[in-house]
Amino acid sequence: MVGSKALPASQLCRRYNLEALGFTDTSELEDLREPLGQDRAVEAIRFGIGVRHQGFNLFAFGPSGSGKTEIIRRYLEPEAAAKPVPDDWCYVNNFTTPDHPKMLRLPAGRAKDLARQMENLTAEVRVVISAAYESEDYRTRLDVIVEQFKLKQEEAFENLHKKAGEKNVAIVRTPMGLALAPSREGKVLNPEAFSKLPTEEQEQVKKDISELEVDLQAVVRMLPELEREQRREIVKLNREVTSFTVDHLIDEIREKWRDCTAVLVFFDEVQDYIINHSDVFRLSKDEAAETIPARMAADFLMQQERVIGNCQVNVLISHKADGGAPIVYEDNPTVENLLGRIEHRSEFGSLVTDFRLIKPGALHQANGGYLILDARRLVFQPYAWETLKRELRSREIRVETLSQMMSLGSMVTLQPEPIPLDIKVILIGDPTLYYLLSQNDHDFNNLFKVPVDFDDRVPVTDEAISLYAQFIATEARKKQLMPLHRSAVEQVMERMTRLTSDTERLSSHTRSLSDLLSEADYWAASRSAPRIEAQDVKHAVKAHIHRSDRMRERTQEQFQRGTMMLDTSDAKVGQINGLSVLQLGDFAFGRPSRITARVHLGRGRVIDIEREVELGGPLHSKGVLILSNFLAARYTNNRPLSLNASLVFEQSYGGVDGDSASSTELYALLSALSNTPIKQSLAVTGSVNQFGEVQAIGGVNEKIEGFFDLCNFRGLTGDQGVLIPESNVKHLMLKDEVVAAAEKGQFHIYSVTSIDQGIEILTGIQAGELDAAGNYPPESVNGRVKARLEVFAESARQYVKSGGEDKMSGAGDG
Amino acid sequence: MAEPSSRKYRRVLLQIDAATLCQDTVGAAVEIAARLGGELHGLFIEDTDLVAVGELEFIHEFRLSSPTAHPLDLLTLESQLRAMARSVRRQLERAGNRQKVTIGFRSVRGDTWRTEEETSNDADLVIIESTGRLHSRTYRGHRTNRRSAVANLCPTLLLKGGKRLTSFVTVICDSVEAAKLGVRTVTTLLGVKPENITLLPYALNDQECQELREIIEQFAEETMKTAEGRTQIKIGPNVAEDGARVMRFLSPDDCVVVLKTGGIFLENPAHLESLIVSRHPLLFVQ
């Protein structure tokens, strides 16, 4: 067992050979029709788009850059084109309650016609009304009314005048009204003349005036009523004239809208409104400026603009009659961008609004079709998520501002009539968000019943390889890149396999592929090549890594300069080379670490120093706790585990997490217990379970390459290598340098399935198997460990006997 | 009619008092002054009769805005008159600013007919509001105004309810001189086009009627030289001495009627009375 063989170079990396596909470069390959490896997602999209019941909205999730939006659009567009065009939507004035504008639903493509017709109508109405009021006929009829009422007034006053005259009383016009005064020969008597009259006559005059005042009061009282009556008659005349003028204009366009009852009702309302506001239509802007004082003219023009505007139509949404159902992608899903908004304009320092300032949102635009939203942006926008859910639940669009929703502010605004909502919403996000919403938001599962789960990897099969070549060809053409030579395609596939860290999978991550192709195209172009060759792809990969690996180089430098202590030769007890991965953005690299273990008499605790100082994560702690149970179960039989062991990542000043070092720590512990030195030319990765089986870990390639780089710098000796779990062999996609070194026997990758297998490679000593009597061979590693633990157990027993239990308890706790 | 008028109407006087204040009148007066390129002087007359009324203890005022009996004392009346004078001045200035007319204003106490001579010396044209109708606040004024209109020594325009003047004019020709004077005044003062002028002969003999026709022909020939070409003044039927018939030939019913003071038509007060109570604005020429 000690002579375990390293993995052959062929197992360290998957190479692709596409010769059998029979193409020279990608220009010979056809486009890929279906998305690669997204069968589940495609099936979900087809179902989600097809089912029309409420709540069957889609949530597409998968890794960022996996081409979700593009794939969804590819299936959505033909479906939308085949659907009927949704209706047009308008808002019109509510003539009864203007702050509740009415919605108007029109057949597709006709809203703009209506708006244009109403604009023409109002312009024409102004002309014809103005002409009607200027006509001789109207003026004559108006004069008749005015004269009639003047005559009534005069008649009343003439009677009074006559009566007063008979009694020598004059009616005098004062600045504010009328008065009765004594007169003689048409001239008012002054106080002096009046006092000269006989007393009886004076009294008689006073009496007469007193009596006449009753009549005068009655006449004066009658004046406002006469004026009101006159105004009523004039209004009646105006209505009659306006109605006669306007009716035929509205009737003309009414004919064109016979099929739309709602429009006919609107016409009726407009007709009434124009008749009731004929005064406003009478004057043109120029006439108003001429005939009305400047300040009043401004008010009048504003009122005129408002009244004319009230007869117009705010086209919220208008579709082309042959356009199919809309597909809308809202990039910035704020509440306003979703629901629409009510704008205001400034009038003399005040903010005012009306139905014409209602603007549509994405929900309006996508109504009757599909709305695509970025889920993460949606939930990050204040109230946007809740708003969308509310609209989907109620199936209507209610234009509201945030301040209205939150009951903030008291500015006068509108409450437009809600518009019925028939929409399919497609959210695009990442899996974390999907599962979070699914678990924590009760509405979510009712409203987004169709998960569309995008995968970013495809199993490597002969068919998949062929399709993948087409996938590459399609992407290259889509981005208008040079064609790729077959060897370049092979290189691309290798790189895409490496990205999955699995030799049996190819990454279908569109953005990564696309970026790699673009970069390779750049390098090919820079050497004026007609197509992309393998060297361009390799160059692109190298350059990409180089751009990102400053931190990796800095870390390597620490080891090379001896700042970080790590041996790559000799053998030491209780010391081993572990491997970890550092992830910086989208770049990961391996970093070797020295792990040491010390043991002494104690109460069966393995102390994880990282955890004690809160630098270790829960997974790391879990791995360490497994070790103590492994030791106790394997070596101590019915005795207590009487040791204290401490484990530490030397010179580690950041956090440590994951259980990938648990097997490494166990090797260190076994070395310390058995006093057997471990070869420092080897590094180890892999987790371990309570039975001593070595389990798979992540980032195996980066870890191996991290240790290789250090060894390579110090000089490959042929003894150096890495122990990895057997189950990670299929994940090996090592870089060319490592593979070449392995081929030359300068660097070795060992795969192990158990701790025993690993310790033999690390120490060169047999692990030792349990015999029938339950003992290990004394010189084996296991035998030495067991013996050492038995010594600890006996020492502990003696110590307790001598009354040192309390001390030991204290020591153990410490 | 042959010689062109050299008369310039530069000074326009608007007589107004508590009974005749009317915003439309102010507007119409300013418009006329603007067309003539002259100045407008407002003359607000505090009527002595009105002051006398305020001195009587038992007089009540019935305001149009509140028809209950309000005791009318002198103090109240004085303050009302002053407020009204300020209001007239404001209205004149505002309208004058708009039309770019120079405005003058003064307030006097007394009867209009006592200042006739002074007024005539001070003005080329006098405008008086007078309709005899309550709504235009002339109820008390109509009697005094008709007297001053006839007696004035300069052209006097009697407005009715402050209406804009129509472009149609009828000149009552009780003499050939009245026709000449009337045509000359309306063309220069009101800017009326010849085709809108109608001469209405009143009690003229055949020779005088012939002279009228000659005047019309002469005027038509003169207009041939202008850019607009030949235009002709109309002539109505010769109305006999029955003044009431004159009213039937006045068309349209709000046309301006031009009368010469001192002529035979105005010798009969009934003729003037029927014109005064009509809707026609009246222009008295001397």
Side-chain angles (χ1 to χ4, degrees):
Chain A
M1 202 163 177
V2 172
S4 286
K5 282 189 180 171
L7 293 172
S10 60
Q11 275 190 283
L12 303 186
C13 182
R14 178 167 198 137
R15 304 290 184 199
Y16 289 90
N17 186 344
L18 304 181
E19 207 174 335
L21 295 181
F23 71 96
T24 309
D25 62 40
T26 52
S27 63
E28 298 164 24
L29 296 175
E30 285 182 4
D31 275 347
L32 190 66
R33 294 186 191 286
E34 296 287 323
L36 188 64
Q38 305 292 3
D39 297 347
R40 180 184 289 103
V42 167
E43 192 185 324
I45 292 170
R46 284 191 170 130
F47 167 75
I49 293 173
V51 65
R52 295 308 305 174
H53 301 295
Q54 195 187 3
F56 283 84
N57 297 297
L58 291 79
F59 193 114
F61 57 95
S64 168
S66 54
K68 298 183 288 292
T69 310
E70 191 190 326
I71 293 171
I72 286 170
R73 275 188 172 274
R74 193 191 300 179
Y75 287 92
L76 213 51
E77 277 165 6
E79 185 76 19
K83 279 184 70 173
V85 186
D87 291 335
D88 289 355
W89 293 97
C90 308
Y91 270 114
V92 293
N93 186 41
N94 185 335
F95 295 98
T96 323
T97 45
D99 54 343
H100 288 69
K102 285 181 177 178
M103 57 102 173
L104 207 56
R105 185 178 196 155
L106 301 171
R110 295 184 67 187
K112 284 183 180 168
D113 283 348
L114 179 63
R116 200 164 37 244
Q117 285 166 15
M118 291 310 291
E119 255 181 54
N120 293 342
L121 175 74
T122 47
E124 212 167 340
V125 159
R126 281 171 70 164
V127 175
V128 294
I129 288 183
S130 183
Y133 280 86
E134 287 296 320
S135 69
E136 198 54 42
D137 178 58
Y138 170 77
R139 292 166 78 100
T140 308
R141 291 174 67 182
L142 183 65
D143 280 351
V144 168
I145 293 171
V146 172
E147 288 304 319
Q148 275 175 356
F149 285 93
K150 279 181 186 169
L151 286 171
K152 282 184 187 174
Q153 283 180 5
E154 281 171 13
E155 191 182 335
F157 273 95
E158 279 299 330
N159 290 339
L160 185 63
H161 187 69
K162 202 171 168 187
K163 199 171 166 185
E166 286 168 2
K167 295 182 177 177
N168 278 332
V169 173
I171 301 174
V172 179
R173 182 75 165 87
T174 66
M176 298 188 73
L178 295 156
L180 296 167
S183 69
R184 288 293 180 273
E185 294 167 2
K187 186 157 174 57
V188 173
L189 292 180
N190 58 29
E192 195 183 340
F194 183 76
S195 64
K196 285 179 183 168
L197 294 175
T199 313
E200 295 79 25
E201 200 173 338
Q202 285 182 22
E203 288 305 314
Q204 184 59 42
V205 168
K206 285 180 185 175
K207 192 182 165 201
D208 289 343
I209 286 178
S210 180
E211 283 170 6
L212 285 167
E213 279 178 349
V214 177
D215 295 340
L216 178 61
Q217 189 173 21
V219 171
V220 174
R221 274 185 197 283
M222 190 182 70
L223 293 179
E225 179 51 37
L226 281 175
E227 281 174 9
R228 273 198 296 277
E229 201 179 328
Q230 176 182 336
R231 279 199 295 273
R232 278 197 293 271
E233 284 297 316
I234 292 172
V235 167
K236 201 172 147 190
L237 170 68
N238 289 351
R239 283 183 65 88
E240 196 183 314
V241 170
T242 311
S243 175
F244 179 75
T245 314
V246 168
D247 283 0
H248 74 277
L249 290 176
I250 293 185
D251 286 346
E252 268 177 33
I253 55 171
R254 204 192 296 269
E255 275 306 312
K256 298 171 186 165
W257 294 92
R258 281 275 166 228
D259 54 331
C260 296
T261 317
V263 178
L264 297 180
V265 172
F266 172 62
F267 285 156
D268 291 343
E269 290 173 345
V270 169
Q271 195 167 2
D272 275 352
Y273 187 73
I274 291 175
I275 291 168
N276 290 334
H277 292 80
S278 54
D279 285 354
V280 179
F281 285 90
R282 282 168 67 170
L283 292 182
S284 70
K285 201 180 271 186
D286 295 340
E287 285 169 337
E290 275 176 21
T291 55
I292 306 176
R295 188 171 169 183
M296 286 168 69
D299 284 344
F300 174 81
L301 290 175
M302 203 175 291
Q303 191 200 357
Q304 190 180 51
E305 197 275 331
R306 198 175 299 137
V307 168
I308 291 169
N310 283 344
C311 301
Q312 289 174 356
V313 174
N314 176 11
V315 179
L316 207 62
I317 294 296
S318 176
H319 299 285
K320 285 182 183 169
D322 56 353
I327 300 172
V328 175
Y329 175 74
E330 176 52 60
D331 191 42
N332 183 22
T334 60
V335 171
E336 282 198 341
N337 286 351
L338 286 174
L339 285 186
R341 61 191 181 279
I342 300 166
E343 294 182 342
H344 290 75
R345 65 168 175 269
S346 177
E347 274 183 13
F348 294 126
S350 304
L351 289 178
V352 297
T353 186
D354 61 43
F355 73 97
R356 288 175 294 163
L357 295 175
I358 303 171
K359 305 293 174 189
L363 286 171
H364 294 103
Q365 286 158 353
N367 200 4
Y370 305 92
L371 175 62
I372 303 174
L373 298 171
D374 184 300
R376 195 177 60 84
R377 288 180 199 164
L378 180 70
V379 295
F380 278 141
Q381 287 295 340
Y383 293 92
W385 172 238
E386 287 302 320
T387 302
L388 177 68
K389 286 193 301 181
R390 190 192 64 197
E391 305 301 292
L392 289 175
R393 266 197 315 267
S394 63
R395 302 178 78 176
E396 56 184 30
I397 315 169
R398 194 177 292 272
V399 183
E400 272 182 345
T401 60
L402 260 180
S403 58
Q404 275 178 297
M405 280 180 203
M406 298 166 72
S407 304
L408 294 174
S410 56
M411 191 166 63
V412 176
T413 188
L414 305 175
Q415 291 182 323
E417 189 179 358
I419 288 179
L421 178 66
D422 172 23
I423 199 171
K424 182 77 75 180
V425 176
I426 298 154
L427 294 183
I428 294 176
D430 55 64
T432 314
L433 185 56
Y434 174 79
Y435 293 119
L436 264 175
L437 289 171
S438 180
Q439 195 170 352
N440 299 307
D441 189 331
H442 301 302
D443 299 324
F444 179 76
N445 292 323
N446 287 332
L447 294 172
F448 291 87
K449 295 180 180 175
V450 186
V452 182
D453 192 352
F454 281 83
D455 203 351
D456 64 345
R457 52 184 62 195
V458 285
V460 178
T461 61
D462 288 345
E463 190 195 355
I465 288 171
S466 170
L467 291 173
Y468 205 92
Q470 278 182 271
F471 180 37
I472 292 169
T474 311
E475 285 299 313
R477 274 195 286 272
K478 204 189 297 173
K479 295 201 77 177
Q480 298 180 322
L481 306 177
M482 289 183 222
L484 284 88
H485 186 262
R486 190 178 66 232
S487 62
V489 176
E490 290 166 354
Q491 280 301 318
V492 170
M493 284 189 182
E494 275 179 33
R495 178 63 186 164
M496 298 311 282
T497 303
R498 165 69 191 247
L499 290 181
T500 64
S501 296
D502 190 341
T503 53
E504 294 166 6
R505 297 286 183 274
L506 271 162
S507 171
S508 57
H509 194 256
T510 315
R511 191 177 62 208
S512 303
L513 175 67
S514 171
D515 290 349
L516 176 60
L517 295 181
S518 300
E519 288 175 32
D521 180 81
Y522 170 77
W523 293 115
S526 67
R527 61 181 183 85
S528 308
R531 64 185 175 194
I532 301 168
E533 303 285 348
Q535 57 174 308
D536 301 316
V537 179
K538 282 183 183 173
H539 196 158
V541 171
K542 251 189 185 168
H544 180 80
I545 291 171
H546 181 68
R547 286 198 296 272
S548 315
D549 77 343
R550 190 182 63 81
M551 285 306 293
R552 185 185 68 87
E553 274 186 13
R554 181 70 59 84
T555 308
Q556 286 290 334
E557 200 178 275
Q558 300 281 315
F559 288 109
Q560 289 158 7
R561 297 173 67 189
T563 312
M564 298 288 287
M565 293 195 294
L566 196 102
D567 294 331
T568 52
S569 60
D570 300 331
K572 285 190 179 163
V573 173
Q575 177 176 310
I576 192 167
N577 295 327
L579 296 167
S580 56
V581 174
L582 291 184
Q583 182 84 38
L584 296 173
D586 64 345
F587 181 69
F589 62 93
R591 175 181 179 275
S593 302
R594 173 181 286 176
I595 298 171
T596 58
R598 299 298 299 271
V599 294
H600 54 90
L601 180 64
R603 299 194 64 184
R605 284 189 64 199
V606 176
I607 298 168
D608 172 14
I609 291 178
E610 307 298 326
R611 189 186 62 181
E612 296 296 315
V613 296
E614 297 181 353
L615 281 174
L619 292 178
H620 184 253
S621 300
K622 177 190 168 194
V624 174
L625 288 173
I626 286 172
L627 301 187
S628 56
N629 289 329
F630 170 77
L631 289 176
R634 177 177 256 203
Y635 299 112
T636 59
N637 294 335
N638 296 324
R639 294 182 186 183
L641 183 64
S642 305
L643 97 153
N644 267 10
S646 57
L647 287 165
V648 65
F649 270 68
E650 301 290 356
Q651 291 184 291
S652 163
Y653 307 107
V656 175
D657 202 6
D659 64 350
S660 69
S662 60
S663 71
T664 320
E665 287 164 331
L666 183 53
Y667 293 133
L669 210 49
L670 293 177
S671 166
L673 282 168
S674 63
N675 205 25
T676 309
I678 286 177
K679 293 176 187 168
Q680 298 301 300
S681 56
L682 297 173
V684 180
T685 183
S687 69
V688 67
N689 65 18
Q690 293 191 94
F691 297 100
E693 293 167 327
V694 177
Q695 304 166 141
I697 45 80
V700 65
N701 293 308
E702 287 80 4
K703 284 173 178 172
I704 293 171
E705 287 167 1
F707 189 64
F708 171 81
D709 288 342
L710 181 59
C711 295
N712 196 28
F713 174 76
R714 289 180 176 174
L716 295 172
T717 60
D719 295 329
Q720 291 144 338
V722 177
L723 273 68
I724 63 166
E726 172 76 31
S727 47
N728 276 123
V729 173
K730 58 180 174 292
H731 300 139
L732 291 176
M733 278 300 290
L734 291 167
K735 61 183 180 181
D736 291 347
E737 292 96 315
V738 183
V739 177
E743 263 176 350
K744 292 175 189 165
Q746 294 172 332
F747 195 77
H748 309 284
I749 311 296
Y750 301 98
S751 64
V752 297
T753 55
S754 68
I755 288 297
D756 288 341
Q757 203 182 348
I759 198 74
E760 285 180 2
I761 297 169
L762 288 167
T763 60
I765 297 171
Q766 279 192 335
E769 288 181 21
L770 211 55
D771 62 18
N775 294 318
Y776 291 101
E779 288 308 310
S780 68
V781 176
N782 286 334
R784 289 180 192 181
V785 171
K786 191 173 182 193
R788 181 83 182 271
L789 289 174
E790 280 171 357
V791 170
F792 277 151
E794 182 56 29
S795 301
R797 196 176 63 80
Q798 291 295 334
Y799 190 72
V800 170
K801 244 184 167 180
S802 65
E805 190 173 8
D806 290 343
K807 290 178 188 171
M808 191 167 169
S809 170
D813 292 343
Chain B
M1 190 61 227
E3 74 276 15
S5 168
S6 58
R7 177 127 196 209
K8 298 287 180 194
Y9 299 92
R10 302 287 301 174
R11 292 167 298 169
V12 180
L13 182 83
L14 172 66
Q15 276 189 25
I16 208 154
D17 65 14
T20 59
L21 173 61
C22 172
Q23 199 170 359
D24 293 336
T25 310
V26 171
V30 170
E31 197 177 298
I32 291 169
R35 189 170 57 243
L36 296 174
E39 304 161 353
L40 177 67
H41 292 270
L43 183 65
F44 183 74
I45 297 159
E46 294 177 4
D47 191 347
T48 45
D49 271 5
L50 208 51
V51 177
V53 167
E55 288 169 348
L56 292 166
E57 292 169 355
F58 54 90
I59 302 294
H60 291 101
E61 181 186 34
F62 292 85
R63 294 177 186 163
L64 296 174
S65 57
S66 147
T68 50
H70 300 269
L72 188 67
D73 56 40
L74 192 57
L75 188 64
T76 307
L77 200 61
E78 291 274 7
S79 59
Q80 284 184 359
L81 285 169
R82 285 186 185 187
M84 198 168 193
R86 276 199 297 274
S87 168
V88 172
R89 182 177 193 149
R90 271 199 305 275
Q91 288 179 43
L92 277 170
E93 285 172 349
R94 205 176 297 141
N97 276 344
R98 266 208 304 279
Q99 302 270 18
K100 309 238 180 324
V101 171
T102 306
I103 299 292
F105 179 83
R106 63 194 166 106
S107 179
V108 295
R109 178 165 294 182
D111 288 331
T112 47
W113 58 89
R114 286 180 197 154
T115 58
E116 281 158 12
E117 196 170 349
E118 181 191 343
T119 300
S120 302
N121 293 337
D122 205 28
D124 297 321
L125 171 69
V126 176
I127 298 174
I128 301 170
E129 167 63 43
S130 175
T131 64
R133 292 166 200 274
L134 179 78
H135 73 277
S136 59
R137 311 173 81 131
T138 60
Y139 199 78
R140 196 205 68 81
H142 77 278
R143 185 172 49 80
T144 53
N145 283 341
R146 80 187 59 174
R147 190 188 300 175
S148 63
V150 176
N152 268 348
L153 299 177
C154 64
T156 302
L157 182 63
L158 225 65
L159 292 174
K160 304 285 185 70
K163 283 190 171 180
R164 286 187 178 191
L165 296 176
T166 61
S167 52
F168 295 95
V169 170
T170 300
V171 181
I172 297 179
C173 308
D174 52 2
S175 65
V176 175
E177 182 59 25
K180 286 180 181 175
L181 195 57
V183 170
R184 192 172 61 203
T185 306
V186 293
T187 49
T188 53
L189 184 63
L190 303 182
V192 180
K193 291 178 181 173
E195 67 265 31
N196 292 337
I197 300 172
T198 304
L199 300 182
L200 189 64
Y202 174 77
L204 296 184
N205 57 34
D206 291 344
Q207 190 189 342
E208 286 169 325
C209 286
Q210 180 56 35
E211 280 183 48
L212 277 192
R213 280 188 284 275
E214 285 169 10
I215 289 170
I216 290 169
E217 187 57 32
Q218 200 176 352
F219 196 89
E221 280 175 17
E222 277 178 19
T223 58
M224 277 186 75
K225 298 167 190 169
T226 65
E228 292 172 1
R230 183 188 168 96
T231 51
Q232 193 152 350
I233 295 171
K234 299 185 191 83
I235 187 163
N238 191 5
V239 182
E241 293 198 4
D242 180 7
R245 283 190 64 207
V246 169
M247 298 303 294
R248 288 184 221 156
F249 294 103
L250 299 179
S251 176
D253 59 4
D254 55 353
C255 69
V256 179
V257 177
V258 182
L259 304 130
K260 184 178 177 300
T261 55
I264 55 167
F265 182 79
L266 289 179
E267 278 176 3
N268 185 348
H271 294 169
L272 180 60
E273 187 61 28
S274 59
L275 282 170
I276 288 279
V277 298
S278 74
R279 298 177 63 200
H280 298 284
L282 306 178
L283 176 61
F284 296 92
V285 292
Q286 291 75 23

